[in-house]
Amino acid sequence: MLKYRIFPPPSHLSSASQLLIEEPVLDFDLYLDPGDYMHLTCLTKVGHLKYFIGQPGGKWNSVTLARFDVKSQLFRCLTLKVLPKRVH
């Protein structure tokens, strides 16, 4: 399960948590670009590598990029690299 909270300045009081994915998550990485879009990639317990893009408090788009056998392979330290017009 993956949730997030928004801490708007200057109050530093958080809003209610928002559920992004209900499946159990093994690992994830997040990048906030200059346009305030969040890019998130995560690997679920069943082996789905998912990519999400959205703005805090807004609509999220997602896609499953790949499926892995997490029982026979070990995955750690997902790293998301966002370049102009590209995501690696």
Side-chain angles (χ1 to χ4, degrees):
M1 178 181 309
L2 198 57
K3 294 181 179 184
Y4 71 95
R5 289 179 188 245
I6 299 171
F7 293 87
S11 67
H12 302 293
L13 298 174
S14 70
S15 62
S17 64
Q18 303 290 318
L19 180 65
L20 188 58
I21 184 170
E22 290 185 17
E23 300 173 58
V25 172
L26 297 176
D27 197 7
F28 73 94
D29 192 26
L30 177 81
Y31 177 81
L32 181 63
D33 72 19
D36 287 338
Y37 280 90
M38 291 190 289
H39 301 260
L40 182 133
T41 187
C42 68
L43 182 63
T44 67
K45 191 173 180 178
V46 295
H48 295 169
L49 179 63
K50 295 190 173 195
Y51 171 74
F52 295 83
I53 184 170
Q55 287 188 305
K59 184 178 179 331
W60 287 82
N61 293 312
S62 67
V63 64
T64 299
L65 299 174
R67 290 180 176 87
F68 298 105
D69 181 3
V70 293
K71 292 181 182 176
S72 66
Q73 298 175 338
L74 182 62
F75 297 91
R76 292 186 190 207
C77 301
L78 286 178
T79 303
L80 185 63
K81 180 137 178 126
V82 178
L83 303 169
K85 299 184 181 182
R86 295 184 187 222
V87 177
H88 295 279

